Amino acid sequence: MMISKRKATAMILGLTMGVSGTAMAAPHDDADINARIAALEAQQQQLSKQLNALKKENAKLKRTEKVANSNKAAIKNLKDAQNRIQINGFGRVAWDNDNVNMYANRNDFRRTYLDIEGKYKVNDRWNMNFQAETVQRYAKYVTAAMNDPHKSPMYHPKDRDHQYDNEHGTIQRVWAEGSIGKVDLDIGRRWRGMGYNFAFFGNESDGVVADVKLPKSPLTAEAFYLTPTDRGYNFSVAGLGLKGRISPKLETRLAYGKLNVGKNEDLGVDYYGKENAPWDGLKNSIGSHAFLVGAMYNPIKNIFLLGDYVHTNRERKIADAEGGRKIAFDGRDTYAVQMNYRWPDLNSPGSFQLYTRYFNYPNNENDLVGIFGDKQDGAFHAGNRGWVFGFKYVPAKNIEWDTFYMKANATKLVWDGHRGEQYHHTMLRTRVDFHF
């Protein structure tokens, strides 16, 4: 059916006003109407093309957004995977001059050293940890020849196949950290220290430590069962403790430990002397019970006092020495007090610390301090009492320089013709740690 010119004119006028938004005068002839119809059809085709293009662009954007969301998920998963594994540690160059009498680790710290520690996140509650140490030994008295049992008794023949293990960077320690309910757990083999100067226990050990925060208290209760891993020793210590900050300026650590061997029983076997005297055991020279009272006090700005007191029920006795001398093994108390001025900050070049320590470690037949104290640092021995003066300095970010001088009165405890003699034990140590 044909559309009348009047109706056509009205339609054109309406479309034109809708498209242009401007009122137009009514057309007066057929040519003008046909021209406008052709223009509208052309414009409609153009709009249709633009609409199709916009639809395609919109679909492309949706695909791009989908890919972006997918990438975000992948990136998040990658970050989560990266966060599950953390590696840190430090490398060290060190030198020391130590006149300690007849110990196999004399000048042992004149060396390079690398410590790598890793933490693997298992879930929100548990981590697995490892530590690998590489010790490049090049100091006097620490050579491969010392592992020959025909030249020196310091090393057991069984050690010969493992004389370079400490240079290989093998993983020496593995432990788990996590929680069950409100109880935090530390299980496995690692270095552990009790006391602010490790006067109670400071050694590698197998075992478990359980901590739980006491309700409505700043203190944490602790239970532990630890077995030192040093060759020859075969005993464990179980105990309870409390630790925490009891005021803004004072924190404390208390512990009680009981060995699973008695005062007159052996701690193990004399591993390095067993070839010559297989009947010799390691006599218990620390007692069957021990108490720790430790504290850190900040009386004024930048001054910190750290102290440990350890009491044991060790057996008191007087032993024969050489040349008619006697050695008194009667010290039941170990104590160490340290004063720090400031603390070094690895993120703040120029930061520093000054420190001094007084310590008194009684004579012990097995070179033990407390129960098994301060074995990690290798600087402080049983039968030593004296002073340490030192400093720490951060010359650049993540680099720390530590130097100290020690002067102590000591007793020669080994059978070398001079057992029981007194001498002055001196040590100068300097080392630089590069943390990463």
Side-chain angles (χ1 to χ4, degrees), residues 331-396:
R332 293 183 170 182
D333 300 324
T334 295
Y335 52 90
V337 179
Q338 181 165 318
M339 182 176 72
N340 292 349
Y341 174 69
R342 305 177 69 94
W343 297 92
D345 182 355
L346 290 174
N347 292 313
S348 301
S351 66
F352 67 94
Q353 177 187 75
L354 303 177
Y355 61 91
T356 183
R357 178 194 291 190
Y358 176 76
F359 61 96
N360 189 326
Y361 296 161
N363 294 337
N364 186 288
E365 294 160 285
N366 295 323
D367 193 31
L368 299 180
V369 173
I371 291 179
F372 222 97
D374 203 23
K375 287 288 186 176
Q376 182 175 17
D377 208 32
F380 304 99
H381 295 274
N384 280 219
R385 58 192 181 280
W387 290 88
V388 169
F389 303 93
F391 69 86
K392 295 182 180 181
Y393 177 66
V394 180

Side-chain angles (χ1 to χ4, degrees), residues 222-225 237-241 256-258:
E222 184 175 71
F224 55 88
Y225 186 87
V237 55
L240 300 172
Y256 164 76
K258 182 181 184 303

Side-chain angles (χ1 to χ4, degrees), residues 215-286:
K216 299 180 181 180
S217 170
L219 296 176
T220 297
E222 184 175 71
F224 55 88
Y225 186 87
L226 304 175
T227 301
T229 57
D230 293 49
R231 286 185 176 181
Y233 291 97
N234 184 25
F235 75 94
S236 301
V237 55
L240 300 172
L242 283 175
K243 59 184 179 181
R245 186 176 295 276
I246 56 179
S247 76
K249 293 187 175 183
L250 177 64
E251 66 177 53
T252 187
R253 179 154 197 175
L254 310 173
Y256 164 76
K258 182 181 184 303
L259 276 63
N260 63 346
V261 297
K263 288 194 295 184
N264 298 312
E265 299 180 50
D266 290 347
L267 297 178
V269 296
D270 189 355
Y271 185 82
Y272 294 103
K274 190 175 179 181
E275 295 298 303
N276 298 323
W279 55 86
D280 263 359
L282 286 173
K283 303 303 180 184
N284 188 344
S285 56
I286 54 179

Side-chain angles (χ1 to χ4, degrees), residues 133-135 161-170 172 231:
E133 292 179 303
T134 301
V135 182
D161 294 335
H162 305 283
Q163 57 189 355
Y164 300 115
D165 280 358
N166 56 3
E167 296 188 5
H168 289 166
T170 55
Q172 294 96 344
R231 286 185 176 181

Side-chain angles (χ1 to χ4, degrees), residues 199-213:
F200 183 81
F201 191 94
N203 200 66
E204 180 189 87
S205 63
D206 291 327
V208 57
V209 179
D211 292 340
V212 59
K213 290 282 293 182

